[in-house]
Amino acid sequence: DQQVKQNSPSLSVQEGRISILNCDYTNSMFDYFLWYKKYPAEGPTFLISISSIKDKNEDGRFTVFLNKSAKHLSLHIVPSQPGDSAVYFCAASNDYKLSFGAGTTVTVRA
Amino acid sequence: DTGVSQDPRHKITKRGQNVTFRCDPISEHNRLYWYRQTLGQGPEFLTYFQNEAQLEKSRLLSDRFSAERPKGSFSTLEIQRTEQGDSAMYLCASSPSGRYTGELFFGEGSRLTVL
């Protein structure tokens, strides 16, 4: 059962513009939502998270928004930079387990 | 380098053989996790240790899989009688004690190919 879904497998954006990545979930018991970034031949690295009791968390160029009623979260990257080209995984946490989406490949064009 | 270390990075084996992967977590982290990632999918939870105690196992972890963490330090994941469906990237991660927030530190993974 896929509890976390990323419906866009890829996203292409011009350097300097905003990247918006979306994620939907089904389990109301998730207590934290996270975004991980993955480069080829490396393990995922933590990017940003949000508690289920918040609706927004910002860290530099990265902002995560949580809409609990819609069971939806999004990641905004502003401005996008070439080094942001990677696979981004949405994840949700419950009882020491992370459930991941399938990932969105972001390509930042110069 | 003080990150999570996994060995071997790549393993090619024939169906029916046994394989073992090792994970060395960040030294001060008492929580250790194993995940599996197949092509085009996100990582899937397999099991979780707090110190040497295995506290959670996914139903994905069939009886051919066994994980250990003796003395609460490094961990091993063994797959017996490998099948082609076991081909995947096996990721190890660790996290410190204290309030769990989902922030894990992943290793680079061990890629298994079963022929």
Side-chain angles (χ1 to χ4, degrees):
Chain A
D1 58 337
Q2 193 79 8
Q3 298 188 73
V4 177
K5 289 186 179 180
Q6 294 176 255
N7 292 318
S8 297
S10 63
L11 172 69
S12 180
V13 63
Q14 192 161 14
E15 182 179 359
R17 306 296 291 268
I18 184 171
S19 294
I20 299 177
L21 290 79
N22 293 300
C23 178
D24 297 297
Y25 64 95
T26 57
N27 187 345
S28 300
M29 299 303 293
F30 289 135
D31 49 9
Y32 285 92
F33 300 89
L34 309 96
W35 289 92
Y36 280 81
K37 178 179 179 179
K38 185 180 182 307
Y39 293 117
E42 295 184 9
T45 56
F46 169 76
L47 187 59
I48 191 170
S49 65
I50 186 168
S51 164
S52 60
I53 63 173
K54 305 280 188 184
D55 55 19
K56 178 182 175 181
N57 186 29
E58 191 171 353
D59 183 3
R61 297 186 297 113
F62 303 91
T63 303
V64 57
F65 297 92
L66 176 62
N67 182 334
K68 288 188 69 176
S69 61
K71 292 190 173 66
H72 178 84
L73 69 155
S74 61
L75 174 68
H76 292 205
I77 307 173
V78 182
S80 299
Q81 299 176 352
D84 296 331
S85 295
V87 179
Y88 290 78
F89 291 101
C90 171
S93 171
N94 183 34
D95 288 339
Y96 301 99
K97 293 180 295 219
L98 290 179
S99 297
F100 284 86
T104 298
T105 301
V106 172
T107 303
V108 180
R109 309 184 311 271
Chain B
D1 183 37
T2 56
V4 176
S5 176
Q6 293 189 243
D7 183 71
R9 294 289 308 279
H10 303 274
K11 179 71 175 178
I12 299 174
T13 191
K14 293 182 179 179
R15 184 168 53 92
Q17 298 295 305
N18 299 344
V19 296
T20 299
F21 300 114
R22 175 181 170 123
C23 172
D24 288 272
I26 294 171
S27 58
E28 61 268 27
H29 288 182
N30 70 336
R31 296 181 182 135
L32 186 146
Y33 314 81
W34 285 97
Y35 282 78
R36 181 176 71 182
Q37 184 178 14
T38 53
L39 196 62
Q41 300 299 315
E44 296 174 290
F45 172 81
L46 291 179
T47 190
Y48 151 63
F49 290 85
Q50 181 148 320
N51 299 312
E52 66 275 9
Q54 188 174 18
L55 299 184
E56 185 82 31
K57 287 173 60 173
S58 164
R59 64 180 185 276
L60 293 175
L61 219 62
S62 75
D63 56 7
R64 296 186 297 105
F65 288 71
S66 62
E68 295 181 344
R69 194 183 182 196
K71 303 178 183 178
S73 55
F74 71 92
S75 175
T76 58
L77 177 68
E78 181 183 16
I79 309 173
Q80 296 183 328
R81 305 181 304 281
T82 52
E83 301 173 354
Q84 288 185 327
D86 298 331
S87 295
M89 176 73 82
Y90 290 85
L91 293 163
C92 177
S94 66
S95 68
S97 59
R99 187 166 61 95
Y100 174 79
T101 61
E103 181 180 350
L104 306 186
F105 296 79
F106 281 90
E108 294 179 321
S110 293
R111 180 169 296 284
L112 173 65
T113 301
V114 182
L115 302 176

